[in-house]
RNA sequence: GGUCGCAUAGCUCAGCUGGUUAGAGCGCUCGCCUCACAUGCGAGAGGUCGUAGGUUCGAGUCCUACUGCGACCACCA
């Protein structure tokens, strides 16, 4: 029964993690109230970063606490297939071999992604394990597991059957690099310095007159089908009803008067490109304008788009195949050459970029699948408004409402290969003209194609009995499967015991960056398919920044690898740091010094434990119940005090964690452990153990052990490894600390009189030490102290004299009878301190 | 453009529903290798709580404006 002089996290951490697994301690146990959480599934492509570390540390603290507190805890881990991100990774590998996915074909490509997933995809889970997370690995799921894929198909089909899903040609955000549609929230708007080009469009009838439009995207004029002005704009009243002949294309377009146009902006005249601008699209719909899609999927000019309309001219050949930015330069040059470019001015505006690859997105007219979202959003809004779901900190509820109130239909189809292929098929016989076969096995579907939606591939066309059915080549947005995560991981659509027991889950811990991507959608889908919220509480934690408050990013080179910190300072120190800085609603500025500071705390706990251990004689455990039940009358003051303080600490720690105040939790325990238990209680216990203050020595030993064990139990959720290590040395061969109940304060422990008395004595000791320092008294040198004050206080001090002697190095004490001194003010009672 | 958040010791931050001398960690100063711990012990310096008003018996804590940061949302070409 001994602790090594130094704590070695390198060997202790893996040892205990392996044993916890072996003992099945992460699996739900007992018959307590269920407490369940699902992990925000990290991307299979990911590696552990600070965000994951914080997110999972907080979840683990909750789980370990609840588990010890006798809840039946299930924490479901897993990973997300991360469609575009993963596809990009594997495509890059192919590129290194000089290949493209198109060259190897869809089937081979998907096999290749799976191979990659099996080989490298679970790295992040191993990293999570080294963080100590106590999730139930037997429940591990992957969003493309067979079970979860079935859930995805089921959800899709049900939405379709209830007309909450439709396929239609709409203007969507298109990433020309990923070559897929994106949902609105997958577009990151970025303020960018651009230009505003003022272009003169001549009237068809009188080319000498014209109207000047202002645009940030001159190349889109090739797709213009109208010009609009405000109906009450006096400048343009004379133009109403006129036709305009566009430069370059020579296309004749109408001039519209529409109040949407802002008279103040630019020239007050707006070119309308319904095929490449969301507003123009709306206007186009109102006036029945042609929507010309001037680009292909690569955002290169598509000559066919013009030829198909019967347009002619050598400009078509000139622009055909040109990239959109090249086209812009060409258009500007050509306009300038033709005298159409009136002027340009610098203009700052928000540019949309792909959230995966930062390519400037292109509004693009294509057939896509959409979720009709309003009917799903309404109950989801209600759930938060009525408190069925509580968002912490509540400020985020505002963002949630703002987004949900203005939510637009969700584009869920993606033109990539890695993901859940859409469970819709098309009949070659019925729909032949709408199915365009490309090279290899690629097909393209027109907007008129009529999908047959089914859970499993149909053998025959239900209409004509045809056998040649092709599946929709698109896959679903990754977030579609994530939205089902809280119930798909529990076995849905089967009515499993897990679902019954653990749904709705208790708490979701996540970052605000995926509030809309994920949280909002889980709420909508949970309510839709489970008729109940997916979780009761949503705890939204902050971002981990560097010590200067900068976002960590590879490009800035300020990324701190959590694994490095864990290796250097120990996982417990790292976890405790994260917890202690996780104040509600505030970003975390992580500095390495801070972690080092908490490593000292771990070390302090270790050494305090060594002290306790070396003072035990082996019989203490037998009498623990007795110790806990002892009456105040049987105890000396320090014992009464520490027990009372312990009770208060337990209450505060529980309250903190119950309210997701992880920083309070950490701070309360730090304070108690170091500054009450170590600084005072242990120091005073030395006298008791030496027999210098009377009382029973065995009782003092038991008290030391008892309080230390309570400290270990309290701290375990935050620093699981070192607490288990000490726990096991204190009681060899006993069950894991994880299976112990979380401390509860007993009413009799609270002893306000003892606390007041100790405060008084501690103040006296500090006053003496203070005076010693002021008079430059060497630390080892004993002094004589004269106390003056009310007789009652003097008597109290006299009873405490052995402690005063030891803790303030007092060799002799005198008690003068100055009744004038204020009662209870210990500092004032220290009349004089002198060398003797 | 809209919404929200933050401004408290040198640094990073607590301070929840307004109430005794505003706290912590790190850093700093001084003195100590005191038999658990120098990853330590003891003592100490350091803050007109962003600015200006207001509510109140009383405000870092509530209200208003301003300044400075930051975030999110957004179709003004």
């Amino acid at each position: 029964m001994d602790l090594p002089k130094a704590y070695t996290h390198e060997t202790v951490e893996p040892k205990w993690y392996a044993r916890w697994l072996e003992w099945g301690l992460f699996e739900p146990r007992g018959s307590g109230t269920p407490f369940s959480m699902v992990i925000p599934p990290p991307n299979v492509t990911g590696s552990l970063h600070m965000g994951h570390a914080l997110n999972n540390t907080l979840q683990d603290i909750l789980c370990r606490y609840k588990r010890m507190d006798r809840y039946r805890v299930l924490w479901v881990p897993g990973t997300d297939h991360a469609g575009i991100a993963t596809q990009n990774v594997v495509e890059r590998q192919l590129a290194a071999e000089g290949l493209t996915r198109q060259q190897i074909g869809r089937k081979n490509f998907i096999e290749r992604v799976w191979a990659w997933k099996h080989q490298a995809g679970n790295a992040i889970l191993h990293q999570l394990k080294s963080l100590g997370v106590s999730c139930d690995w037997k429940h591990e799921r992957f969003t493309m597991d067979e079970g979860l894929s079935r859930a995805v198909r089921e959800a899709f089909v049900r939405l379709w059957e209830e007309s909450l899903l439709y396929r239609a040609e709409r203007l969507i955000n298109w990433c020309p690099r990923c070559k897929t549609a994106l949902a609105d929230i997958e577009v990151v708007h970025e303020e960018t310095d651009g230009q505003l080009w003022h272009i003169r469009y001549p009237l068809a009838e009188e080319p000498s007159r014209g109207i000047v439009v202002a645009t940030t995207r001159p190349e889109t004029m090739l797709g213009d089908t109208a010009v609009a002005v405000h109906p009450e704009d006096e400048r343009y009243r004379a133009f109403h009803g006129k036709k305009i002949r566009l430069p370059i294309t020579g296309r004749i377009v109408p001039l519209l008067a529409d109040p949407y146009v802002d008279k103040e902006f630019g020239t007050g005249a707006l070119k309308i490109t319904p095929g490449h601008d969301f507003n123009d699209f709306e206007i186009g719909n109102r006036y029945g304008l042609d929507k010309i899609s001037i680009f292909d999927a690569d955002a290169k000019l598509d000559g066919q788009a013009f030829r198909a309309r019967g347009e002619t001219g050598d400009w078509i050949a000139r622009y055909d195949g040109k990239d959109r930015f090249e086209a812009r330069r060409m258009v500007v040059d050509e306009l300038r050459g033709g005298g159409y470019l009136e002027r340009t001015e610098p203009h700052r505006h928000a540019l949309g970029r792909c959230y995966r690859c930062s390519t400037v997105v292109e509004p693009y007219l294509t057939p896509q699948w959409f979720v009709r979202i309003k009917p799903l959003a309404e109950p989801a809004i209600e759930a938060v408004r009525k408190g069925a779901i509580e968002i912490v900190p509540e400020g985020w509820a505002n963002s949630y409402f703002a987004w949900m109130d203005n939510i637009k239909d969700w584009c869920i189809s993606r033109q990539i290969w890695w993901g859940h292929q859409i469970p819709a098929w098309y009949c070659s016989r019925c729909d032949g003209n709408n199915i365009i076969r490309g090279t290899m096995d690629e097909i393209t579907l027109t907007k008129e194609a009529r999908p047959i939606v089914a859970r499993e591939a149909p053998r025959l066309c239900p209409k004509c009995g045809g056998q040649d059915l092709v599946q929709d080549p698109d896959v679903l947005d990754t977030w579609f499967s994530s939205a089902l995560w809280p119930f798909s991981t529990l076995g849905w659509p089967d009515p499993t015991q897990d679902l019954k027991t653990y749904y709705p889950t208790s708490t979701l811990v996540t970052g605000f960056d995926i509030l809309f991507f994920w949280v909002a959608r889980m709420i909508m889908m949970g309510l839709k398919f489970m008729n109940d919220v997916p979780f009761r509480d949503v705890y939204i934690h902050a971002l981990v920044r560097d010590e200067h408050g900068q976002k960590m990013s590879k490009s800035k080179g300020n990324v701190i690898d959590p694994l490095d910190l864990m290796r250097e300072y120990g996982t417990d120190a790292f976890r405790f740091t994260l917890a202690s800085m996780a104040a509600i609603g505030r970003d975390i500025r992580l500095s390495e010094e801070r972690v080092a500071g908490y490593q000292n705390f771990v070390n302090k706990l270790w050494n305090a434990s060594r002290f306790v251990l070396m003072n035990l004689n082996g019989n203490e455990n037998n009498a623990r119940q007795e110790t806990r039940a002892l009456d105040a009358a049987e105890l000396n003051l320090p014992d009464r005090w520490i027990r009372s303080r312990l009770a208060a600490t337990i209450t505060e720690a529980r309250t903190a964690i119950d309210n997701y105040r992880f920083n309070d939790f950490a701070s309360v325990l730090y304070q108690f452990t170091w500054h009450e238990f170590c600084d005072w209680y242990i120091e005073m216990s030395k006298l008791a153990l030496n027999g210098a203050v009377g009382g029973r020595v065995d009782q003092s030993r038991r008290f030391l052990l008892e309080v230390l064990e309570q400290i270990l139990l309290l701290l375990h959720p935050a620093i699981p490894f070192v607490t288990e290590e000490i726990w096991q040395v204190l009681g060899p061969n006993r069950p894991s600390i994880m299976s112990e109940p979380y401390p509860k304060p007993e009413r009799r422990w609270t002893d306000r009189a003892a606390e007041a008395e100790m405060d008084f004595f501690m103040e006296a000791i500090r006053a003496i030490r203070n005076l010693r320092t002021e008079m430059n008294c060497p630390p080892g040198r004993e002094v004589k102290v004269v106390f003056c004050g009310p007789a009652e206080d003097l008597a109290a001090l006299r009873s405490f004299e052995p402690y005063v002697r030891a803790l303030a190095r007092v060799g002799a004490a005198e008690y003068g009878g100055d009744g004038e001194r204020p009662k209870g003010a210990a500092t004032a009672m220290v009349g004089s301190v002198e060398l003797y």
Side-chain angles (χ1 to χ4, degrees):
Chain A
M1 184 140 137
D2 203 9
L3 279 172
K5 208 164 159 66
Y7 173 62
T8 51
H9 63 264
E10 300 89 334
T11 52
V12 168
E13 291 175 10
K15 176 181 78 183
W16 285 116
Y17 201 82
R19 287 201 198 161
W20 291 331
L21 280 177
E22 187 187 313
W23 294 341
L25 292 169
F26 298 162
E27 294 156 36
R29 284 142 46 99
S31 53
T33 310
F35 177 89
S36 55
M37 296 202 307
V38 290
I39 201 173
N43 292 354
V44 279
T45 53
S47 61
L48 192 78
H49 59 59
M50 282 299 168
H52 297 125
L54 172 66
N55 180 249
N56 288 287
T57 294
L58 300 185
Q59 289 179 82
D60 195 47
I61 290 173
L62 287 176
C63 278
R64 285 177 184 269
Y65 164 63
K66 290 291 182 181
R67 196 179 284 119
M68 292 172 77
D69 211 21
R70 293 305 182 245
Y71 286 78
R72 196 184 342 165
V73 172
L74 173 66
W75 184 13
V76 178
T79 45
D80 192 290
H81 68 279
I84 300 176
T86 308
Q87 173 154 326
N88 285 350
V89 167
V90 178
E91 279 194 286
R92 270 198 294 277
Q93 287 186 343
L94 283 178
E97 300 165 28
L99 291 169
T100 66
R101 70 179 153 110
Q102 286 78 10
Q103 282 173 306
I104 67 170
R106 182 166 188 146
K107 190 162 168 290
N108 289 334
F109 180 76
I110 290 172
E111 271 173 25
R112 179 125 183 179
V113 181
W114 275 109
W116 177 87
K117 191 261 177 190
H118 290 306
Q119 169 239 319
N122 285 340
I124 189 156
L125 295 183
H126 293 113
Q127 294 171 325
L128 278 176
K129 287 175 185 173
S130 64
L131 190 65
V133 294
S134 61
C135 15
D136 179 6
W137 297 104
K138 295 204 167 124
H139 268 85
E140 183 188 333
R141 297 289 183 270
F142 177 55
T143 48
M144 278 180 49
D145 279 351
E146 181 41 43
L148 273 67
S149 299
R150 191 157 74 89
V152 164
R153 292 194 299 272
E154 177 72 21
F156 189 93
V157 172
R158 283 207 207 166
L159 290 173
W160 173 259
E161 286 168 348
E162 295 184 43
S163 296
L164 290 168
L165 211 54
Y166 61 94
R167 182 172 184 273
E169 185 178 72
R170 293 287 140 85
L171 203 55
I172 46 85
N173 296 291
W174 182 266
C175 174
R177 202 222 57 88
C178 302
K179 279 191 224 157
T180 180
L182 298 171
D184 296 339
I185 44 172
E186 290 172 313
V187 177
V188 184
H189 292 272
E190 208 174 68
E191 283 287 308
T192 311
D193 288 317
Q195 301 212 64
L196 200 56
W197 281 272
H198 294 244
I199 308 167
R200 191 169 55 81
Y201 282 3
L203 292 186
E205 306 298 324
E206 302 169 72
S208 56
R209 292 173 68 200
I211 192 161
V212 178
V213 299
T215 179
T216 55
R217 299 200 55 197
E219 72 281 10
T220 62
M221 70 166 291
L222 300 178
D224 281 2
T225 51
V227 171
V229 295
H230 192 99
E232 282 150 30
D233 193 333
E234 293 307 322
R235 293 172 294 181
Y236 300 118
R237 199 169 283 278
F239 293 80
H240 289 187
K242 302 277 188 198
K243 299 275 189 219
I244 280 155
R245 183 190 303 275
L246 296 176
I248 304 180
T249 61
R251 189 179 304 137
I252 307 291
V253 301
L255 182 97
L256 310 173
D258 191 286
Y260 163 76
V261 179
D262 180 356
K263 289 187 282 187
E264 308 303 318
F265 190 90
T267 62
L270 175 62
K271 65 189 269 308
I272 307 294
T273 322
H276 293 283
D277 183 280
F278 290 97
N279 299 314
D280 296 5
F281 180 83
E282 295 297 323
I283 294 174
N285 280 345
R286 280 210 288 282
Y287 293 91
L289 300 175
D290 280 359
K291 303 180 182 78
I292 311 176
S293 206
I294 67 171
F295 298 119
D296 62 15
D298 294 301
K300 294 196 166 105
L301 257 293
D302 181 9
Q304 191 53 37
F306 308 110
R307 291 191 203 101
R309 308 178 73 240
E311 299 195 348
T312 53
D314 55 0
W315 61 274
I316 295 179
R318 203 157 61 239
Y319 283 97
D320 195 13
K322 293 291 189 296
D323 175 79
R324 55 190 162 153
F325 298 112
E326 169 68 7
R328 177 178 303 174
R329 280 188 290 275
M330 289 170 63
V331 166
V332 169
D333 283 349
E334 196 165 339
L335 290 173
R336 189 179 286 123
Y340 297 107
L341 190 62
E342 293 277 309
R343 65 192 185 91
T344 65
E345 57 179 314
H347 180 64
R348 200 169 164 74
H349 64 292
L351 206 56
R353 292 175 181 276
C354 171
Y355 83 137
R356 284 292 171 214
C357 72
S358 270
T359 302
V360 176
V361 299
E362 186 63 44
Y364 194 43
L365 199 57
T366 46
Q368 301 287 348
W369 289 87
F370 295 88
V371 175
R372 210 181 300 281
I373 206 84
K374 280 265 190 273
L376 297 172
E378 277 158 19
I381 292 167
E382 276 309 289
V384 174
R385 205 181 295 286
K386 293 223 170 104
I389 294 177
E390 194 180 340
I391 299 182
V392 181
E394 58 185 349
W396 285 108
N398 285 331
S399 304
Y400 174 82
F401 293 134
W403 191 70
M404 293 289 274
D405 288 343
N406 298 304
I407 195 164
K408 304 221 177 73
D409 283 355
W410 176 16
C411 175
I412 51 167
S413 44
R414 297 289 179 274
Q415 287 65 51
I416 57 172
W417 289 351
W418 175 242
H420 302 97
Q421 195 166 348
I422 289 182
W425 286 264
Y426 304 83
C427 172
S428 307
R429 201 190 295 174
C430 301
D431 238 351
N433 295 335
N434 295 321
I435 304 171
I436 302 154
R437 295 178 193 270
T439 53
M440 303 285 294
D441 46 4
E442 282 183 81
I443 64 161
T444 312
L445 302 161
T446 70
K447 63 181 172 184
E448 288 83 13
R450 290 187 304 272
I452 303 159
V453 173
R455 287 170 179 82
E456 304 297 337
R459 297 211 174 156
L460 304 171
C461 168
K463 270 204 188 120
C464 74
Q467 299 187 5
D468 186 21
L469 297 171
V470 292
Q471 188 171 3
D472 195 310
D474 289 356
V475 302
L476 287 167
D477 182 0
T478 294
W479 297 101
F480 188 88
S481 53
S482 315
L484 315 178
W485 186 252
F487 47 97
S488 65
T489 52
L490 296 175
W492 188 86
D494 293 333
T496 60
Q497 190 59 45
D498 272 356
L499 266 184
K500 214 156 127 195
T501 309
Y502 299 110
Y503 191 94
T505 64
S506 311
T507 298
L508 180 81
V509 178
T510 188
F512 59 79
D513 50 333
I514 49 177
L515 182 59
F516 308 139
F517 278 101
W518 192 46
V519 180
R521 287 159 173 178
M522 282 191 288
I523 297 173
M524 291 190 279
M525 293 302 179
L527 287 164
K528 177 70 209 162
F529 294 111
M530 295 295 298
N531 281 312
D532 200 351
V533 295
F535 26 70
R536 299 285 177 217
D537 287 1
V538 180
Y539 174 74
I540 297 181
H541 62 246
L543 215 64
V544 184
R545 299 169 173 278
D546 75 3
E547 57 190 312
H548 307 294
Q550 298 287 309
K551 214 165 168 168
M552 289 189 190
S553 74
K554 278 180 200 152
S555 56
K556 283 184 204 145
N558 63 346
V559 175
I560 307 176
D561 186 343
L563 296 167
D564 288 344
L565 292 181
M566 287 154 65
R567 212 172 296 124
E568 172 87 16
Y569 302 100
T571 299
D572 288 326
F574 175 57
R575 288 172 53 123
F576 201 81
T577 307
L578 292 175
S580 71
M581 299 186 85
I584 283 181
R586 256 185 118 116
D587 283 350
I588 291 179
R589 299 196 183 190
L590 188 76
S591 73
E592 201 167 326
E593 292 89 77
R594 201 67 186 250
V595 185
Y598 287 116
Q599 187 188 22
N600 294 350
F601 175 65
V602 169
N603 182 255
K604 186 74 178 177
L605 179 65
W606 182 260
N607 281 302
S609 305
R610 289 180 57 219
F611 172 82
V612 172
L613 260 169
M614 64 180 58
N615 283 290
L616 297 183
N617 62 12
N619 300 321
E620 292 76 14
N621 269 320
N622 305 331
R624 277 185 61 202
Q625 285 310 312
E626 183 197 324
T627 302
R628 297 170 69 93
L630 280 174
D631 244 30
E634 305 172 67
L635 300 173
N636 59 22
L637 179 63
D639 294 343
R640 287 166 56 206
W641 171 74
I642 199 69
R643 204 167 69 166
S644 184
R645 293 302 308 140
L646 174 65
T649 301
I650 293 170
T651 302
E652 286 170 38
R654 280 177 168 271
T655 304
I657 206 166
D658 286 339
N659 292 289
Y660 306 110
R661 305 184 72 92
F662 296 96
N663 59 320
D664 287 349
F665 175 75
S667 143
V668 156
L669 295 180
Y670 182 101
Q671 212 60 29
F672 177 74
T673 302
W674 198 314
H675 298 304
E676 298 191 298
F677 182 65
C678 291
D679 286 355
W680 289 98
Y681 186 72
I682 284 188
E683 290 308 317
M684 291 188 295
S685 76
K686 289 174 181 171
L687 281 83
L689 293 168
N690 293 340
V693 288
R696 290 160 49 195
V697 175
D698 60 336
Q699 188 172 294
S700 299
R701 290 200 187 102
R702 262 189 250 122
F703 243 84
L704 273 174
L705 178 62
E706 174 67 11
V707 177
L708 174 63
E709 289 197 344
Q710 293 283 304
I711 287 173
L712 295 172
L713 293 165
L714 286 166
L715 281 166
H716 178 263
I719 49 172
F721 295 109
V722 70
T723 47
E724 178 79 281
E725 177 71 6
I726 297 169
W727 182 261
Q728 293 295 332
V729 177
L730 290 176
N733 302 319
R734 63 171 152 178
S736 165
I737 190 170
M738 284 181 67
S739 51
E740 292 292 316
Y742 203 73
K744 279 190 182 136
E746 302 212 8
R747 199 175 298 265
R748 74 164 69 80
W749 291 359
T750 299
D751 188 335
R752 299 198 56 83
E755 291 201 35
E757 221 174 326
M758 269 296 295
D759 284 345
F760 176 74
F761 293 142
M762 291 189 293
E763 187 189 329
I765 287 168
R766 282 197 203 97
I768 299 166
R769 286 170 172 174
N770 183 349
L771 289 172
R772 289 179 56 109
T773 302
E774 275 177 21
M775 56 199 270
N776 285 323
C777 174
R781 181 79 179 269
E782 291 193 330
V783 291
K784 184 175 101 177
V785 179
V786 179
F787 295 106
C788 317
E792 201 182 324
D793 286 349
L794 287 176
L797 274 172
R798 196 191 294 273
S799 75
F800 201 67
E801 188 177 310
Y803 295 105
V804 175
R805 282 175 173 267
L807 299 180
R809 291 275 161 147
V810 169
E814 284 180 12
Y815 300 85
D818 184 353
E820 297 301 304
R821 304 272 177 168
K823 182 172 159 56
T827 305
M829 289 181 64
V830 180
S832 70
V833 171
E834 51 200 79
L835 299 172
Y836 82 115

